[in-house]
Amino acid sequence: MQRKRAPKRTRTPQSLQKTCPLGGGHDLGETTVTATRISEPVNKVPANVTVITAKDLEKRHVFSLREALEREAGIYVSPTADVKDGLSLRGFGGTNILVMYNGQQLNNSFDGGVNWDSIPLDNIERVEIVRGAGSSLYGGHAVAGVINIITKDKEKPGIHGEANLSYGSNNTWKRGVQVSGSEGRVSFRLGYEKRTSDGWAGYFVTPRVSSGNKAGTVTGDLPQAANGRYIIGSRGAKDKKSENTFLDLKYAFDAERSLDYTYMHNSYRYSYHDPFTYLKNPDGTPAFSGILRLSPKRYIEVDPSDYLGYNGERGQDIHKLRYEDAKNDFKVGVGYSDTYKDGYSSTGDATSINWTGAGGRTEYPNQNYNVDLQKKWQIRNNTLLAGAAWMKDTMRYRSYRLSNWMDWRSVVGAPTMQSGGSIISTALFVQDELALDARWKLQLGLRYDKFNKQDGYSYVKNVRKDYEDRTFSAWSPKLAISYEPQKDTLVFLSFGKSFNPPSIYKLYRRAGDKMSSVQANPELTPETSTTYELGVKQKINKNTSYGVTLFRVATDDKIALATLGGVKAYYNMNSAMVKGMELEVKHRLSRDWRTYLNYTFESGELTYGGVTERNWDIPKHMLNFGVDYTHGNFNGVLDAQYVGARQSVDSITGEYGSEDSFFLTNLYLNYNVDKNLKLQLAVRNLFDRNFYAYEATSGRTYTLGASYAF
């Protein structure tokens, strides 16, 4: 029996991309390398897998990759001005979703979060979303699933380039240029992206109401929320600026062996601007400080600090070197992520609304080093994969006083708090895909991870405390069985265990000497989850395909902040459960018209101290559907999205602080003037819906863009 060789890099041919313009759901023309670490057709994999292509991203002119993910089954994206995380999959937040960029982990070493705006868009070839337990192959964070971002690497001979420019509401700009080409054995892609936006006013100020007889100095007719809090104004709009530089180099030794190098640099900044107030001075001018009497015994006291938000910055370099030998089915990768700057400044002592006054700066730079290798063997009916991985995460946390809170260089004295440490993990994994016969397939996987928590320390003022090195380990098995009752139909049942390791700051960060301050807890162990899935995916005919997946995930040793024995710290003390269903349907109406629909039902529970309650943060219902029309040089996409409320049924809706349900419609229009020039128009929130996702969300926005290939 002759062994079939895997391609050097998994890429979707252009002809297949054109058959799947909407992405989302299952398509028999797509392949995935993320689900099993082996190139396989999506319809043959016993998991719910979605592939978003470069074509999908181009059609929707997204500002951030989060926007591209918001219409996929099982994914909820917060429609606020968040710059980090704000995304959940199957009810799990960012630390429980492993996110990779060409195989390099993007979850940072400080808290496991992901900064989605740090990912350049123009260089993406495909985004693979694999739902379900992934720790048997990838280790930590892969609880709800894995999102792998794969960049472009097929370059035409000679030098080619593309420039794009777009402008939209809220003074939002996106500028990009990239150059690519190949000569002989060498190919490359070099690019630059800059994205800026003034944002919108989403965060409102709700100060504490005090009791007493202080004399009033200001007046104001304040909006009042159902919880009794008064809104005195807003921090203003939250602006953001992101700059990305990326480089991909490839050297082909021959037709089977290649060496790839990926580099990405990102700098990111966010801050607030143009705060406003509902308070007035006696002369009628806006008041940002003073005392407002609410009643003879109640008052609100405000100062400029209440209206001034955080000022954050981030700088990161990512490197990934990969060697692949397709002839011998061998791969090895070496990666390094250096988040050399990450933190924010704030003030509690502002002297005026003009961004002056003392404050503090908190920073937490972190690094990730990793090596992984794998080898595949084809032994009769067995496809055997084995590999090893090594990773080191380090973090340093520091707080400083600033004489001017907007100037990070105005440090006063020594750090007020310091902490740090590292985690080194070593892992071995194996996977066997056994074809029992022509219809039945068995997949077995197992990974062992050993963690060394070491070099932990903390300072409060000048007092240092060192923590004893500790170890913990995790076993992650995976079992899946699939059955093909007929051509283009797959039924699968799977079981898997996964884990989420404690972040370094939960292990070692210490906020003060008092027990009421958060203390370090180096004894934390991973959260462990057990996932069961039952699914079917089928291509009914050449025009229609669908997939249905039922899932249940139970989590033990869930980490939470609590006070036990008088000590406030993070502890392994809770449990949780999420269950649900994902339905995805795609249908081609005619040569020009295509449509898609996906629906997600989710329900979750949290158990605290033996008391089980519903997890209201999980939207119970999510629905996405849309239509795509292509004729000649014109393309139009109309997407609609419904997300259920994320709060108890008797909660107040339609006001600041509520988590409203919402129904949004987005329109995207594309026109190819010629083979080089493309014009684009996007209208998000087409019907200008106003609602709250705790913060106020944006209304209707417009974006006009153009791209030119040369």
Side-chain angles (χ1 to χ4, degrees):
M1 181 177 180
Q2 187 177 4
R3 183 177 66 180
K4 295 182 179 180
R5 294 176 180 174
K8 290 184 293 180
R9 287 285 300 275
T10 298
R11 290 289 182 261
T12 304
Q14 191 68 21
S15 60
L16 293 180
Q17 288 184 11
K18 291 180 179 178
T19 67
C20 184
L22 289 171
H26 307 284
D27 188 275
L28 300 185
E30 291 289 0
T31 60
T32 174
V33 293
T34 308
T36 61
R37 281 184 176 255
I38 301 171
S39 176
E40 292 188 284
V42 167
N43 69 307
K44 301 291 185 181
V45 174
N48 187 356
V49 180
T50 296
V51 177
I52 303 174
T53 68
K55 198 75 172 178
D56 301 325
L57 298 176
E58 291 173 8
K59 288 182 177 182
R60 288 170 173 81
H61 341 306
V62 294
F63 183 82
S64 167
L65 187 57
R66 288 200 325 164
E67 294 180 13
L69 297 171
E70 66 187 6
R71 64 189 179 87
E72 303 300 335
I75 294 181
Y76 167 69
V77 175
S78 175
T80 63
D82 289 333
V83 296
K84 183 180 177 183
D85 294 331
L87 181 149
S88 66
L89 173 60
R90 290 187 171 180
F92 288 88
T95 62
N96 285 277
I97 307 168
L98 177 62
V99 182
M100 298 185 295
Y101 184 82
N102 282 339
Q104 174 67 13
Q105 177 178 302
L106 292 184
N107 304 76
N108 71 48
S109 300
F110 173 64
D111 60 5
V114 176
N115 190 311
W116 294 100
D117 281 9
S118 69
I119 303 169
L121 299 173
D122 295 337
N123 195 32
I124 296 176
E125 174 67 19
R126 57 200 283 115
V127 180
E128 298 186 1
I129 306 167
V130 182
R131 300 162 182 82
S135 290
S136 64
L137 287 175
Y138 294 102
H141 300 299
V143 176
V146 179
I147 298 176
N148 190 14
I149 301 148
I150 301 171
T151 62
K152 300 174 182 177
D153 82 335
K154 287 190 176 296
E155 313 301 346
K156 298 178 182 179
I159 304 298
H160 309 274
E162 182 177 340
N164 61 73
L165 175 68
S166 67
Y167 174 75
S169 304
N170 303 319
N171 195 30
T172 299
W173 287 92
K174 181 175 178 290
R175 312 165 183 89
V177 62
Q178 57 181 301
V179 179
S180 63
S182 66
E183 180 66 33
R185 297 175 182 268
V186 179
S187 60
F188 76 96
R189 182 174 292 267
L190 174 65
Y192 170 79
E193 278 186 11
K194 183 175 182 179
R195 288 170 279 171
T196 61
S197 178
D198 287 351
W200 66 90
Y203 186 93
F204 292 92
V205 183
T206 56
R208 181 174 60 89
V209 176
S210 302
S211 299
N213 298 314
K214 288 188 176 181
T217 60
V218 297
T219 61
D221 185 13
L222 304 183
Q224 186 177 15
N227 60 9
R229 302 297 292 268
Y230 289 87
I231 300 174
I232 62 171
S234 170
R235 291 175 175 173
K238 190 175 190 177
D239 66 54
K240 47 191 175 182
K241 174 183 177 182
S242 176
E243 291 188 86
N244 294 276
T245 304
F246 55 86
L247 171 66
D248 286 314
L249 286 174
K250 181 175 182 178
Y251 180 79
F253 297 97
D254 51 39
E256 303 288 350
R257 299 176 302 143
S258 63
L259 184 66
D260 295 79
Y261 170 68
T262 294
Y263 169 73
M264 180 178 73
H265 169 77
N266 171 258
S267 62
Y268 189 85
R269 179 191 62 79
Y270 71 89
S271 62
Y272 291 85
H273 62 94
D274 299 326
F276 61 84
T277 179
Y278 295 131
L279 301 178
K280 294 182 178 180
N281 291 309
D283 60 1
T285 58
F288 291 93
S289 63
I291 297 173
L292 175 69
R293 298 296 316 181
L294 300 172
S295 70
K297 294 183 179 180
R298 300 166 66 240
Y299 69 92
I300 292 175
E301 186 171 6
V302 300
D303 64 60
S305 300
D306 295 323
Y307 296 90
L308 301 178
Y310 297 101
N311 177 38
E313 293 187 26
R314 187 173 189 265
Q316 182 184 50
D317 289 314
I318 290 178
H319 306 265
K320 187 73 174 184
L321 186 65
R322 295 161 292 160
Y323 171 76
E324 182 171 350
D325 182 347
K327 180 179 180 180
N328 296 297
D329 293 317
F330 175 75
K331 299 178 183 179
V332 61
V334 179
Y336 172 55
S337 296
D338 180 17
T339 307
Y340 56 87
K341 177 170 62 178
D342 200 356
Y344 62 90
S345 62
S346 60
T347 178
D349 303 304
T351 55
S352 76
I353 202 64
N354 296 321
W355 314 98
T356 57
R361 181 183 107 201
T362 300
E363 64 176 19
Y364 29 87
N366 53 90
Q367 292 77 36
N368 171 272
Y369 310 80
N370 64 85
V371 179
D372 65 89
L373 59 91
Q374 68 177 56
K375 176 76 170 70
K376 187 184 81 170
W377 297 267
Q378 189 70 46
I379 307 173
R380 294 184 179 179
N381 295 332
N382 295 73
T383 303
L384 185 65
L385 178 77
W390 176 89
M391 182 179 294
K392 180 178 181 180
D393 288 305
T394 65
M395 182 275 290
R396 185 179 73 246
Y397 178 94
R398 292 182 179 179
S399 294
Y400 300 89
R401 296 189 184 279
L402 301 176
S403 60
N404 181 344
W405 74 280
M406 288 291 289
D407 182 0
W408 282 30
R409 298 167 298 179
S410 63
V411 174
V412 178
T416 56
M417 286 187 296
Q418 298 184 67
S419 60
S422 62
I423 298 177
I424 296 177
S425 64
T426 307
L428 297 172
F429 61 88
V430 62
Q431 176 184 267
D432 184 22
E433 290 188 353
L434 173 62
L436 302 175
D437 59 27
R439 297 180 182 271
W440 290 90
K441 181 185 290 185
L442 181 65
Q443 184 187 95
L444 300 170
L446 181 65
R447 176 168 170 140
Y448 173 73
D449 287 85
K450 182 179 180 181
F451 292 82
N452 294 310
K453 299 178 287 186
Q454 59 188 43
D455 305 323
Y457 70 92
S458 66
Y459 281 93
V460 175
K461 297 181 180 178
N462 294 321
V463 179
R464 179 180 174 116
K465 186 173 183 178
D466 292 291
Y467 302 101
E468 182 180 353
D469 294 349
R470 299 176 184 270
T471 63
F472 62 87
S473 60
W475 289 92
S476 304
K478 183 74 176 284
L479 168 64
I481 187 166
S482 59
Y483 172 64
E484 295 184 69
Q486 62 187 43
K487 183 182 178 181
D488 295 338
T489 301
L490 184 77
V491 181
F492 64 90
L493 176 67
S494 69
F495 156 83
K497 282 187 173 292
S498 53
F499 69 94
N500 187 21
S503 56
I504 300 179
Y505 94 94
K506 291 181 180 179
L507 291 169
Y508 299 128
R509 177 179 172 269
R510 180 164 152 252
D513 288 322
K514 297 180 180 179
M515 292 299 100
S516 59
S517 302
V518 177
Q519 300 298 301
N521 183 5
E523 297 184 3
L524 282 175
T525 58
E527 300 175 342
T528 58
S529 297
T530 304
T531 300
Y532 297 91
E533 290 184 284
L534 173 63
V536 58
K537 38 192 171 182
Q538 181 182 29
K539 184 175 182 179
I540 299 174
N541 53 48
K542 66 179 182 179
N543 294 322
T544 307
S545 63
Y546 75 92
V548 180
T549 307
L550 305 177
F551 63 88
R552 186 182 189 275
V553 188
T555 302
D556 294 319
D557 297 322
K558 194 170 180 63
I559 297 173
L561 184 64
T563 302
L564 299 179
V567 179
K568 186 176 183 180
Y570 288 93
Y571 297 96
N572 294 102
M573 58 177 298
N574 299 320
S575 61
M577 185 276 293
V578 179
K579 60 183 177 181
M581 177 194 74
E582 295 153 348
L583 167 67
E584 302 171 88
V585 180
K586 294 173 62 178
H587 179 64
R588 178 173 178 171
L589 299 170
S590 67
R591 186 181 67 175
D592 297 335
W593 291 90
R594 295 172 175 85
T595 186
Y596 79 96
L597 177 147
N598 63 66
Y599 167 73
T600 305
F601 167 83
E602 293 178 335
S603 179
E605 296 177 348
L606 295 173
T607 300
Y608 297 94
V611 178
T612 300
E613 297 179 348
R614 177 176 165 181
N615 184 354
W616 294 102
D617 292 335
I618 298 176
K620 196 169 186 178
H621 303 283
M622 293 188 291
L623 175 67
N624 299 280
F625 60 92
V627 62
D628 182 298
Y629 174 74
T630 301
H631 184 77
N633 292 336
F634 173 79
N635 168 259
V637 179
L638 185 69
D639 285 335
Q641 177 189 39
Y642 170 78
V643 176
R646 284 84 59 212
Q647 59 188 17
S648 60
V649 293
D650 56 350
S651 297
I652 301 297
T653 62
E655 66 173 29
Y656 183 74
S658 63
E659 294 281 356
D660 296 336
S661 62
F662 57 88
F663 185 91
L664 297 179
T665 306
N666 304 318
L667 176 65
Y668 308 95
L669 304 176
N670 305 278
Y671 183 73
N672 294 325
V673 178
D674 54 36
K675 65 178 183 179
N676 296 323
L677 178 62
K678 178 189 293 183
L679 302 179
Q680 303 170 318
L681 172 66
V683 186
R684 291 179 58 84
N685 192 358
L686 182 64
F687 299 108
D688 199 22
R689 303 296 189 191
N690 295 312
F691 61 98
Y692 294 89
Y694 187 81
E695 295 187 12
T697 59
S698 174
R700 179 170 51 231
T701 61
Y702 301 89
T703 302
L704 181 64
S707 61
Y708 183 76
F710 56 90

